[in-house]
Amino acid sequence: MAETLLTLGAYQFSMENAAHDNLKRSKTYRWVQQQRLTREPASQFVGEGAETISLSGKIYPHFRGGLGQIDEMRAEADKGEALTLVDGQGTNLGQWVIKSISDTQKSYTGPGIPRCIDFSVSLMSYGADTSTGNSGGGGSGTGGIGDFFNFLVNIA
């Protein structure tokens, strides 16, 4: 049985195929500056930004997995939908979209058959459809903008 590192949609990154050797995860946070008279600008937190994951690794098609692995990754991206990302320990990391896939083929053994394929995959979090924080973005009882809009709808 293959040791799964990550599952993205139907595609599995495992020790038997495209095993990534580098995973970089990054998250941004959104802050805006409000200008103030005779004082320096004030910074206001307006919410979380996008989270990204970059994977890179090598595929040795003659050793394991075959030549079609990049095509399988691209087939997942071609779906044009958010995909569930699960790590090797079974933790659901949420919904992610594939932003890009790139590959470099090297050391050819025959007519167009590479011995090694370097690959990289860039993912971006899909983003929750509901507000989970209390950053004033809405939600029940937070006194945020969502409550204000609910108030306007109810009086209309």
Side-chain angles (χ1 to χ4, degrees), residues 2-25 52-56 73 76 83-94 96 119 121-123:
E3 186 175 333
T4 301
L5 303 172
L6 281 175
T7 301
L8 179 62
Y11 189 82
Q12 288 188 345
F13 294 88
S14 76
M15 300 307 287
E16 296 296 319
N17 60 14
H20 60 279
D21 57 15
N22 190 345
L23 184 148
K24 179 181 177 184
R25 192 168 178 174
T52 60
I53 292 178
S54 299
L55 302 169
S56 62
M73 289 180 207
E76 286 299 297
L83 304 166
T84 301
L85 182 65
V86 179
D87 71 13
Q89 299 172 3
T91 304
N92 184 338
L93 300 174
W96 294 76
F119 73 91
V121 179
S122 177
L123 308 175

